[in-house]
């Protein structure tokens, strides 16, 4: 047999607890999130923190890989132009090595070869967002001068993604185009061709053909390597997107509210609140007091 | 039977009136949770011949369960401790669980992301600005957490002196009550002594002391905190609080000297507050260790790299020598962000930026978590604090339930039941009327004898 005052305090406390519970459920239903702070579910919170950081890194990787891909695609176009120019140079050399050409024709071919050299220099000086793509890390200056002499350095720069995957974005131009000064690659071969045509010696011109073929092979191999890098970037982009989706799903499983369960719990809590309110209103109405009255 | 009918009936009237007064007092105090239902102890009035010569009130008894009282005090202490702890810890937790994407783990990752982007475009000034902005957000977040937790601690500690003042006031009241109860019990007498009411007051005081500081009170009113005396009989000793920095200590001033209390000896509101402040202080130190560890690792690489202007040795963050929240170096220019690993690599080399970004996968940036990355350390740190808050909240709920059960048990014995009192009211009203009727019969009989005797 207890006193009314205790009963009243007890009901008030129960009402407070039910009210807190209702507020908590309503917050979960409104936000759709069950874990809003560490104490809601420490283990889930901790896992969600890791997943959120991973998502952030992957999202950044995806965007960065997309940008890098655009950059390498543009660089690939420049390489393609250079490759076409080199093909034409081989044709010019083949024609120039024919001993039946007049001096005028040979001179015209020399002019054409000089133009092709300019095209390759132009392609090798390709810049993306103001950055020379083939000047090594000396990216603020053109990679080649008009003679085909390399002005960059032997460095390179790569982007490194959050999982450690690294893809080169800025290259040592000599690895693709060679250097006229050291008579290597496309630049060396084109310079030699121009000089041979200017000399008017078909045999000298013919002697540049192997060098031109070798330069084309060097450029093709380099272009293929850049193509491989593009594929790698696409893979990074695709993987980042797919993994991010998985992580979002995992995080959602961890922290999202179960709306169906919440709705049931809310209904029950509201019923409890109603019952307790009704009970509170009856406190103090002692039956015997009423009878005696 | 040696007495006459009138005098015997008179004892019945007196006893019934005493009982009705007690019932009246019970009903009047029905709303007082600390009041214990009182009842009269009746015993036969033994006449000279050894036969019953009426009834007498031998005392007023309060319905109490001393064991339950001490259990209630203990449960109250636990409930207050955990409530204070949970409330403060929840405030502290709010600074660790900022909006999604804005918490410390996210801001650290944003710094690493910015350096990843810089590795791809080391000459891009907008990317360099992003690095600086991310670093500033990281530093700002570390300051927000540190300031918030420090303010929580400060506010909590600022409230303690007034609570200690209340404790000392109650200890003084307890000593006075002990004196008055001893005097009342020595004087004897049933209702006039007021001892039951004084004991109720003492019990209520003991409950408040348990609530405030987790004090235990024995059946004689002696009060201890963690076994150390606060009230001994009629003497109360002063409880003192010393606050230094972010900690608080308690001592009791005894005549023979000050008695230092371990923080774990204090319970109730004071103990919970001190424990929560300690936990918050520890969390703050852990957060700062993580922040400083990450900032230091970034600085080390930043200082060995080269900026666009060819400079080297420039730190990105300013880390307080004694630890604490960081700041971005105000003198650092965008050009001085060291993306290149060598001077020759400037401006196009982003390998140092990549190395800084790679720190996101390095274990042990925070020495407390040698096998964890910064993100994992943050996850563990914040989840551990969350578990402490959750544990305190659960213990608070359990203590609340236990307290409620014990109070229910106590109420079943000590609480005033109006139905029971109204029943007894009718019972003693009938007894009073019956005794009055007996007196009336005695008076009629006396009148009859006076009228009819020759």
């Amino acid at each position: 047999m207890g006193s009314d005052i205790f009963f009243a305090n007890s009901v008030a406390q129960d009402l407070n607890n039910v009210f807190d519970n209702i507020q908590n459920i309503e917050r979960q239903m409104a936000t759709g999130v069950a874990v809003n702070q560490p104490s809601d579910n420490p283990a889930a919170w901790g896992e969600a923190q890791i997943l959120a950081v991973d998502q952030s890194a992957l999202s950044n990787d995806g965007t960065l890989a997309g940008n890098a891909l655009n950059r390498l695609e543009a660089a690939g176009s420049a390489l393609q132009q250079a490759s076409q120019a080199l093909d034409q140079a081989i044709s010019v050399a083949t024609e120039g090595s024919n001993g039946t050409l007049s001096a005028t024709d040979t001179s015209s071919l020399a002019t054409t070869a000089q133009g092709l050299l300019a095209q390759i220099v132009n392609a090798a000086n390709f810049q993306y967002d103001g950055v020379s793509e083939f000047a090594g890390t000396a990216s603020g200056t053109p990679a080649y001068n008009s003679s085909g002499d390399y002005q960059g350095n032997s460095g390179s720069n790569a982007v490194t993604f959050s999982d450690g995957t690294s893809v080169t974005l800025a290259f040592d131009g000599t690895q693709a185009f060679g250097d006229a000064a050291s008579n290597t690659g496309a630049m060396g071969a084109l310079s030699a061709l121009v000089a041979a045509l200017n000399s008017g010696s078909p045999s000298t011109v013919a002697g540049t053909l192997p060098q031109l073929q070798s330069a084309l092979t060097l450029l093709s191999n380099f272009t293929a390597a850049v193509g491989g890098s593009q594929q790698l970037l696409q893979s990074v982009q695709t993987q980042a997107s797919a993994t991010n989706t998985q992580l979002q799903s995992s995080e959602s499983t961890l922290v999202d509210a179960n709306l169906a369960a919440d709705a049931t719990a809310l209904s029950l809590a509201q019923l409890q609140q109603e019952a307790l309110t009704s009970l509170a209103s009856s406190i103090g109405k002692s039956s015997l007091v009423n009878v005696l009255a | 039977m040696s007495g006459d009918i009138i005098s015997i009936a008179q004892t019945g009237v007196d006893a019934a009136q005493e009982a009705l007064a007690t019932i009246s007092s019970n009903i009047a105090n029905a709303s007082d949770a600390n009041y214990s239902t009182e009842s009269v102890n009746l015993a036969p009035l033994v006449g000279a011949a050894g036969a019953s010569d009426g009834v007498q009130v031998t005392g007023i008894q309060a319905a109490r369960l001393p064991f339950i009282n001490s259990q209630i005090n203990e449960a109250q202490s636990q409930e207050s401790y955990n409530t204070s702890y949970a409330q403060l810890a929840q405030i502290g937790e709010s600074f660790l669980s900022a909006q999604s994407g804005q918490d410390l783990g996210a801001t650290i990752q944003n710094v690493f992301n910015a350096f990843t982007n810089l590795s791809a475009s080391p000459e891009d000034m907008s990317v360099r600005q992003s690095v600086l902005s991310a670093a500033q957000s990281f530093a700002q977040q570390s300051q927000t957490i540190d300031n918030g937790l420090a303010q929580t601690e400060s506010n909590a500690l600022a409230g303690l002196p007034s609570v200690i003042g209340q404790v000392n006031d109650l200890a003084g009241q307890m000593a006075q009550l002990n004196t008055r109860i001893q005097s009342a019990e020595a004087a004897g007498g049933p209702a006039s002594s007021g001892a039951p009411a004084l004991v109720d007051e003492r019990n209520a005081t003991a409950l408040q002391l348990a609530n405030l500081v987790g004090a235990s009170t024995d059946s004689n009113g002696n009060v201890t905190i963690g076994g150390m005396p606060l009230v001994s009989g009629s003497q109360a000793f002063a409880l003192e609080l010393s606050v230094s920095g972010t900690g608080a200590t308690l001592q009791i001033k005894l005549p023979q000297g000050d008695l230092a209390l371990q923080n774990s000896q204090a319970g109730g509101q004071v103990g919970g507050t001190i424990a929560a402040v300690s936990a918050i202080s520890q969390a703050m130190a852990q957060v700062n260790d993580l922040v400083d560890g990450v900032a230091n690792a970034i600085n080390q690489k930043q200082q060995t790299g080269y900026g666009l202007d060819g400079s080297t040795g420039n730190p990105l963050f300013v880390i307080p020598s004694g630890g604490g929240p960081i700041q971005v170096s105000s003198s650092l220019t965008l050009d001085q962000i060291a993306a290149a690993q060598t001077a020759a690599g400037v401006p196009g080399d982003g390998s140092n930026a990549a190395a800084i970004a790679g720190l996101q996968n390095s274990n042990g940036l925070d020495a407390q978590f040698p096998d964890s990355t910064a993100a994992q350390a943050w996850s563990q740190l914040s989840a551990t604090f969350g578990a402490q808050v959750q544990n305190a909240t659960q213990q608070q709920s359990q203590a609340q339930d236990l307290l409620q059960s014990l109070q229910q048990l106590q109420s079943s014995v000590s609480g005033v039941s109006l139905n029971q009192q109204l029943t007894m009211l009718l019972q003693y009203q009938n007894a009073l009327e019956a005794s009055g009727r007996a007196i009336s019969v005695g008076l009629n009989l006396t009148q009859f004898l006076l009228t009819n005797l020759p």
Side-chain angles (χ1 to χ4, degrees), chain A residues 10 39 46 49 139 157 162 286, chain B residues 93 123 348 350 361 378-379 404 419:
Chain A
S10 179
S39 61
Q49 290 296 298
S139 50
N157 189 49
S162 62
S286 168
Chain B
E93 183 187 27
E123 313 93 328
N361 298 319
W378 164 249
S379 160
Q404 201 167 336
N419 285 350

Side-chain angles (χ1 to χ4, degrees), chain B residues 7-17 54-55 431-432 435:
Chain B
S7 61
I8 290 173
Q10 183 60 49
T11 64
V13 169
D14 291 344
Q17 283 183 327
V55 66
L432 182 65
S435 295

